[in-house]
Amino acid sequence: MQFSKLRLSGFKTFVELTELAIEPGMTGVVGPNGCGKSNLVEALRWAMGETSAKRMRGGEMDDVIFAGTQSRPARNIAEVTLFLDNTGRRAPGPYDTDDALEVTRRIERGTGSGYRVNHRDVRARDVQLLFADAASGAHSAAMVGQGRVAAVINAKPAERRSILEEAAGISGLHARRHEAELRLKAAEANLARLDDVIVTLAAQLDALRKQAKQAQRYRRVAEQIRRLEAVALHRHWQAATAAQEAAHQRLRASELSVADRTQIAVAAERAREAIGASLPDLRHAEAAAATELQRFTLAMRSLDDEERRVVVARQGAQERLTQLVSDRTREDELAADAGAAIAKLNQEEVDLKAARAREAQAENEAASALARVSQEVVALEAELAERMRVLADEEALRGTLNRQIAEASDYRSRIVAQQRELEAQRRALDAEAEAAPRRVDAEAALAEANNRVEVARGAADAAADALRAAETASSTARAPLQEALARRAKIEAEIQALRELLTAISEKNATPVLDAVTVLSGYEAALGAALGDDLTAPVEGGASVHWHALPAYAYDLALPGDAQPLTRFVTAPPVLARRLSQIGVVADATDAERHQTTLLPGQRLVT
């Protein structure tokens, strides 16, 4: 047999139907790396029954199916067909009668692969034996790959045996022998199991024999029981026959008694018909009496209903009278409150006009104060610059004096050392009486040295006095400097506050909410601590900061402990109701600290 053609479809990189003609002689495939040369060899192995996915350079057998690219979708089926020339009739049976063989292997993703030879479904084992008989196959030495020649040269004799067997064409016989050995082993295992089954069946046969003896005994006993039951039933039949005769006699006696009682019943029925003739008159009288009773009952019910309606109407009238009295009292109170509110609003209007006038005056005063303060700042900055210059000069003088003091101290140390040397020389001269001229010179030098020491001491004392004077002058200069710096910081803070005030006055185009708030006497500090600068914001105005109305909370947010809401002590516009309801008033700071841990988000406590 000779390979004549290889057809691939959906196998690895061969997504389209591709045919490779294998002509007599040598057929070569040349191409760059990655063009699919190795895939052709793997297609041959796969069609000849390769079952290892690793030998196919994949993790599982489904990896031989085209997996798709960015421009082409993946395939679900791969098929490889190997065409064999069998004109020499060298194929094993039953394929030796065909001139050509088509061996096809087809795999579908997720379902496995199947084999066909000349369009007939076969097993994978049949395909492997077909190629093994032809001295070929997926693992044949004829499939030479990289490193295969070196492996054959270095192979052991036992490993070379398979190559020789393939060359001799008996590898299929070894496969068949292996399969026959497996079948023989399976038959031996079946015989062993059959022996076990025979032993088991023998034990069951002994048990069945015992059961058969018990069944025969049971049939004999059952036959005796049936005979005895027949005798008992015959006796019961005789007793039943006697009882039936006695029952017939009682029946005849009962029929005679029934005839007598029937005559009595006929007479009673005639008497009942006579009495029934008089019943219609009595029934008419009963119906009339029932009608009269129903009429009286309805009349009594109507009177009871009327009485209840009168009582309810009376109670309603009494309640309306009470409500009218309370409404009149409330209307009087509302009228008094309205009069007081009108008076208060008039007074507030006057106060607002006066406040606006004061605001204009305050704005002018703030502008003039700002100009005055700016002039003072300029003067203070000039004074500060002058004092800084004086301080720098004093610092330079202080450094010079410190250097002079250091130099005087060094000079004094040297003079003291020279004095000690002269004293030593003097003692040495006193010890030498014969050196009188030298002693006179030494005393003169000592006197001169003493004079220099005195001069140095005077200079050091003068330098120390100058240093103390410089330190005193520096301290004296620092005090006005610190005072000037403090005044400058204070003036800058005032300038910033005045600027913020002027900005707020210039941006203010609405009345602050504080003007519409009324606080119970004694709770002004609590309101200021709770809201602070928020009281200066207007209600829904054009300012950048203002009060905005929100709906009430959809759920109850109770204040902790005995805290009272600030709304009980403050009368404010509705826009503040939501904020004031979550501000609790407690007695002192101790209560506030005790309830602090139970506050909900948005709540606060004041005293």
Side-chain angles (χ1 to χ4, degrees):
M1 292 190 300
Q2 297 290 330
F3 293 161
S4 61
K5 185 168 57 176
L6 180 65
R7 179 187 296 165
L8 304 93
S9 176
F11 184 84
K12 289 198 172 181
T13 57
F14 297 95
V15 59
E16 300 295 343
L17 182 63
T18 305
E19 291 187 356
L20 173 64
I22 305 176
E23 301 295 341
M26 181 179 294
T27 300
V29 180
V30 180
N33 292 335
C35 68
K37 301 186 296 296
S38 300
N39 293 341
L40 293 174
V41 179
E42 291 177 357
L44 288 172
R45 288 181 177 174
W46 189 68
M48 288 190 289
E50 178 62 62
T51 58
S52 175
K54 292 183 179 179
R55 291 180 180 269
M56 304 300 296
R57 298 184 298 173
E60 55 184 8
M61 195 55 73
D62 287 348
D63 292 341
V64 302
I65 306 174
F66 179 68
T69 61
Q70 293 182 353
S71 60
R72 306 194 69 170
R75 298 284 293 273
N76 291 327
I77 297 174
E79 183 176 290
V80 176
T81 302
L82 184 60
F83 294 86
L84 304 175
D85 184 6
N86 191 32
T87 56
R89 298 294 189 274
R90 300 182 61 183
Y95 310 110
D96 54 349
T97 59
D98 298 329
D99 294 335
L101 298 180
E102 294 183 11
V103 181
T104 303
R105 184 174 181 180
R106 179 187 179 91
I107 184 172
E108 186 174 356
R109 193 181 300 277
T111 60
S113 58
Y115 295 85
R116 293 194 307 275
V117 177
N118 287 347
H119 308 290
R120 292 193 299 270
D121 292 334
V122 295
R123 302 175 303 168
R125 185 66 177 171
D126 298 333
V127 174
Q128 293 172 356
L129 288 175
L130 172 62
F131 287 103
D133 292 338
S136 182
H139 302 152
S140 173
M143 304 290 291
V144 179
Q146 184 176 4
R148 180 65 174 170
V149 176
V152 171
I153 294 173
N154 299 324
K156 298 178 180 179
E159 295 175 349
R160 294 179 183 176
R161 180 179 179 180
S162 61
I163 301 174
L164 297 176
E165 288 175 352
E166 289 180 2
I170 61 174
S171 58
L173 298 178
H174 282 286
R176 286 184 174 85
R177 185 186 69 179
H178 178 66
E179 185 176 359
E181 289 176 352
L182 292 178
R183 289 178 180 176
L184 288 174
K185 290 181 181 179
E188 291 175 356
N190 291 334
L191 289 174
R193 286 198 296 271
L194 183 59
D195 293 337
D196 296 337
V197 171
I198 291 172
V199 174
T200 304
L201 291 177
Q204 293 179 358
L205 181 60
D206 294 337
L208 290 174
R209 287 173 181 172
K210 293 179 181 179
Q211 292 177 4
K213 293 178 181 179
Q214 292 176 358
Q216 292 176 0
R217 192 182 302 113
Y218 171 75
R219 282 196 295 272
R220 289 194 297 269
V221 173
E223 186 65 26
Q224 294 176 2
I225 291 173
R226 281 196 296 273
R227 287 198 299 270
L228 293 175
E229 286 179 350
V231 173
L233 288 175
H234 180 68
R235 290 181 179 178
H236 284 305
W237 176 76
Q238 291 177 350
T241 303
Q244 184 181 10
E245 187 64 28
H248 280 299
Q249 292 177 1
R250 288 195 301 273
L251 178 60
R252 285 191 294 272
S254 297
E255 288 177 352
L256 294 175
S257 177
V258 167
D260 293 340
R261 293 180 182 276
T262 301
Q263 292 177 359
I264 296 172
V266 170
E269 181 66 23
R270 291 174 181 173
R272 187 187 65 79
E273 289 177 357
I275 294 171
S278 62
L279 282 177
D281 297 335
L282 296 175
R283 287 176 178 171
H284 286 301
E286 182 184 5
T291 303
E292 191 67 20
L293 177 62
Q294 183 69 21
R295 186 173 61 81
F296 283 120
T297 302
L298 293 175
M300 185 176 66
R301 288 181 180 176
S302 63
L303 291 174
D304 293 339
D305 293 339
E306 186 67 23
E307 182 181 3
R308 284 195 295 272
R309 285 196 297 272
V310 170
V311 172
V312 171
R314 183 176 180 184
Q315 292 178 353
Q318 187 67 29
E319 292 176 357
R320 285 196 296 272
L321 180 60
T322 304
Q323 184 66 31
L324 288 173
V325 173
S326 61
D327 290 344
R328 182 176 180 181
T329 303
R330 187 171 62 254
E331 292 295 336
D332 294 340
E333 293 176 355
L334 291 175
D337 293 341
I342 292 172
K344 183 178 180 181
L345 290 174
N346 294 331
Q347 182 63 33
E348 288 179 354
E349 183 180 4
V350 174
D351 294 340
L352 285 174
K353 292 179 179 180
R356 288 176 181 174
R358 288 195 299 272
E359 286 180 358
Q361 183 179 359
E363 182 177 1
N364 297 329
E365 293 177 355
S368 59
L370 179 61
R372 184 175 63 258
V373 169
S374 300
Q375 295 176 359
E376 293 180 359
V377 167
V378 173
L380 288 174
E381 287 179 349
E383 182 180 358
L384 178 62
E386 180 63 24
R387 290 184 181 276
M388 291 293 290
R389 186 185 61 76
V390 173
L391 180 61
D393 295 340
E394 291 177 354
E395 289 291 339
L397 178 61
R398 181 178 180 180
T400 303
L401 292 176
N402 287 332
R403 288 193 299 274
Q404 292 178 359
I405 290 172
E407 292 175 358
S409 298
D410 294 338
Y411 183 69
R412 180 177 180 179
S413 299
R414 290 195 301 271
I415 294 300
V416 171
Q418 291 178 3
Q419 185 178 3
R420 290 176 181 174
E421 291 177 358
L422 292 175
E423 289 291 340
Q425 293 176 5
R426 182 177 180 180
R427 286 193 296 272
L429 291 174
D430 289 340
E432 297 176 0
E434 65 274 7
R438 295 176 58 189
R439 180 177 182 182
V440 173
D441 296 336
E443 289 179 351
L446 178 62
E448 185 178 358
N450 289 331
N451 292 330
R452 288 200 299 272
V453 168
E454 292 298 331
V455 172
R457 287 178 178 174
D461 293 338
D465 294 338
L467 177 61
R468 286 192 294 271
E471 290 179 350
T472 303
S474 176
S475 300
T476 304
R478 283 182 182 275
L481 178 62
Q482 296 295 334
E483 182 179 357
L485 291 175
R487 289 179 60 191
R488 179 181 179 181
K490 183 178 180 181
I491 291 173
E492 288 179 351
E494 292 178 355
I495 292 172
Q496 184 64 27
L498 289 173
R499 288 176 179 173
E500 292 178 356
L501 179 60
L502 291 175
T503 302
I505 293 174
S506 61
E507 293 182 355
K508 187 175 180 182
N509 55 3
T511 305
V513 72
L514 179 62
D515 295 344
V517 175
T518 303
V519 187
L520 192 64
S521 178
Y523 291 90
E524 296 85 353
L527 178 63
L531 298 181
D533 295 338
D534 293 346
L535 292 171
T536 60
V539 176
E540 298 290 350
S544 57
V545 178
H546 62 272
W547 285 91
H548 180 67
L550 292 176
Y553 289 105
Y555 43 87
D556 186 17
L557 296 175
L559 292 171
D562 54 353
Q564 300 294 326
L566 193 60
T567 53
R568 296 187 178 182
F569 312 102
V570 176
T571 302
V575 72
L576 270 69
R578 176 167 168 154
R579 178 78 172 273
L580 295 177
S581 64
Q582 298 304 310
I583 300 174
V585 181
V586 294
D588 49 22
T590 304
D591 291 345
E593 293 177 356
R594 186 172 68 254
H595 297 308
Q596 183 179 5
T597 57
T598 60
L599 288 174
L600 297 176
Q603 292 182 346
R604 62 179 61 182
L605 296 175
V606 294
T607 59

